[in-house]
């Protein structure tokens, strides 16, 4: 079979692991503590979006104005709650189907990378036992614009020395699919983005990648 792609760039939260649920719980705790309404519909708008941009979306529901210093403190508070949840994760939280998919794609000769907006990427990969597994990692620590800007995926492609058109992005966020498309890449989706039919492939699980690639 002639290969359409050389590299697969995976989003992390909500694709490789279910940390998207921990993001939701941490934001919900913070929002409740300041009396701001927050639910799963609003949460879907935070997928792929940076920490500070996520906070701005949550604070849209508040009648109060917050100074930059107050916002920094709220974001730090949320991150502490989130990191506490992450610290409970172990390699057993990496689903077998995800690990088998990654191993299967590697066997097929694809380069594998992470393209995530999260600054917690190194910690999460360590918790689930994937430190050192990927050929490149581009995350919230080395980008200046978060998804839907294509920067994170273009930098990941550059790190892999792969042409954007030869990279497939795997995403659960509509903002991430837009980033992939704006970067000249195709996207395969799971989760929320798949339900929205945002991708070029809308999958029910990452395992299906082994059938389409
Ligand atoms: C993305 C998540 O992966 O990372 C977003 O989908 C999150 O919900 C963003 O806001 C930033 O994460 P962190 O870990 O740097 O706060
Ligand atoms: Mg995600």
């Amino acid at each position: 079979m002639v290969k359409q792609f050389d590299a697969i760039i995976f989003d992390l939260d909500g694709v490789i692991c279910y940390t998207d649920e921990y993001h939701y719980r941490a934001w919900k705790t913070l929002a409740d503590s300041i009396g701001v309404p927050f639910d799963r519909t609003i949460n879907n708008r935070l997928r792929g979006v940076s920490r500070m941009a996520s906070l701005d979306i949550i604070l849209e529901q508040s009648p109060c104005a917050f100074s930059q210093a107050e916002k920094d403190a709220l974001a730090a508070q949320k991150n502490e709650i989130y990191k506490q949840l992450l610290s409970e994760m172990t390699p057993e939280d990496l689903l077998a189907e995800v690990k088998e998919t990654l191993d299967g794609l590697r066997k097929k000769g694809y380069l594998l990378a992470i393209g995530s907006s999260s600054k917690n990427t190194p910690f999460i990969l360590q918790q689930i036992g994937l430190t050192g597994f990927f050929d490149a990692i581009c995350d919230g620590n080395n980008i200046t614009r978060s998804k839907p800007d294509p920067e994170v995926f273009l930098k990941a492609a550059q790190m892999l020395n792969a042409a954007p058109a030869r990279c497939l992005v795997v995403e659960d966020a509509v903002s991430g699919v837009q980033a992939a498309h704006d970067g000249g890449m195709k996207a395969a989706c799971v989760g929320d983005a798949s339900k929205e039919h945002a991708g070029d492939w809308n999958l029910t699980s990452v395992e299906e990648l082994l059938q389409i690639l």
Side-chain angles (χ1 to χ4, degrees), residues 160-187:
L160 294 170
N161 212 7
R166 302 283 303 169
C167 296
L168 174 70
V169 165
V170 187
E171 261 293 347
D172 72 313
V174 175
S175 63
V177 175
Q178 196 186 324
H181 286 163
D182 287 356
M185 302 175 190
K186 293 255 191 293

Side-chain angles (χ1 to χ4, degrees), residues 48-66:
V49 174
S50 73
R51 195 180 307 163
M52 289 312 289
S54 296
L55 179 62
D56 283 335
I57 291 171
I58 289 168
L59 295 181
E60 282 171 10
Q61 311 298 317
S62 171
C64 308
F66 293 84

Side-chain angles (χ1 to χ4, degrees), residues 34-178:
I34 56 172
V36 173
F38 179 65
D39 59 20
R40 288 186 184 270
T41 307
I42 301 171
N43 186 58
N44 280 339
R45 291 174 58 202
L46 313 184
R47 290 179 191 278
V49 174
S50 73
R51 195 180 307 163
M52 289 312 289
S54 296
L55 179 62
D56 283 335
I57 291 171
I58 289 168
L59 295 181
E60 282 171 10
Q61 311 298 317
S62 171
C64 308
F66 293 84
S67 68
Q68 191 53 49
E70 286 168 329
K71 287 204 254 179
D72 289 346
L74 290 172
Q77 232 175 293
K78 180 266 174 176
N79 199 47
E80 281 313 306
I81 304 167
Y82 180 57
K83 279 200 309 195
Q84 187 58 45
L85 295 167
L86 294 181
S87 71
E88 310 278 314
M89 289 181 92
T90 71
E92 285 181 13
D93 286 296
L94 177 63
L95 292 185
E97 65 179 57
V98 174
K99 187 64 171 61
E100 281 159 18
T101 303
L102 292 171
D103 289 340
L105 292 173
R106 169 133 298 154
K107 250 192 222 143
K108 286 178 186 241
Y110 292 100
L111 290 168
L112 305 177
I114 290 286
S116 167
S117 302
S118 174
K119 295 186 173 176
N120 290 298
T121 295
F123 183 44
I124 295 169
L125 292 177
Q126 179 193 309
Q127 292 301 94
I128 59 176
L130 283 182
T131 300
F133 178 86
F134 291 93
D135 300 300
I137 294 171
C138 188
D139 65 25
N141 300 296
N142 46 12
I143 54 168
T144 53
R145 299 176 300 277
S146 92
K147 301 167 190 176
D149 190 285
E151 183 184 12
V152 69
F153 295 136
L154 290 174
K155 274 202 174 158
Q158 218 171 35
M159 289 174 180
L160 294 170
N161 212 7
R166 302 283 303 169
C167 296
L168 174 70
V169 165
V170 187
E171 261 293 347
D172 72 313
V174 175
S175 63
V177 175
Q178 196 186 324

Side-chain angles (χ1 to χ4, degrees), residues 11-15 20 47-48 147 171-173:
D11 172 50
L12 180 63
D13 297 315
V15 172
D20 54 333
R47 290 179 191 278
K147 301 167 190 176
E171 261 293 347
D172 72 313

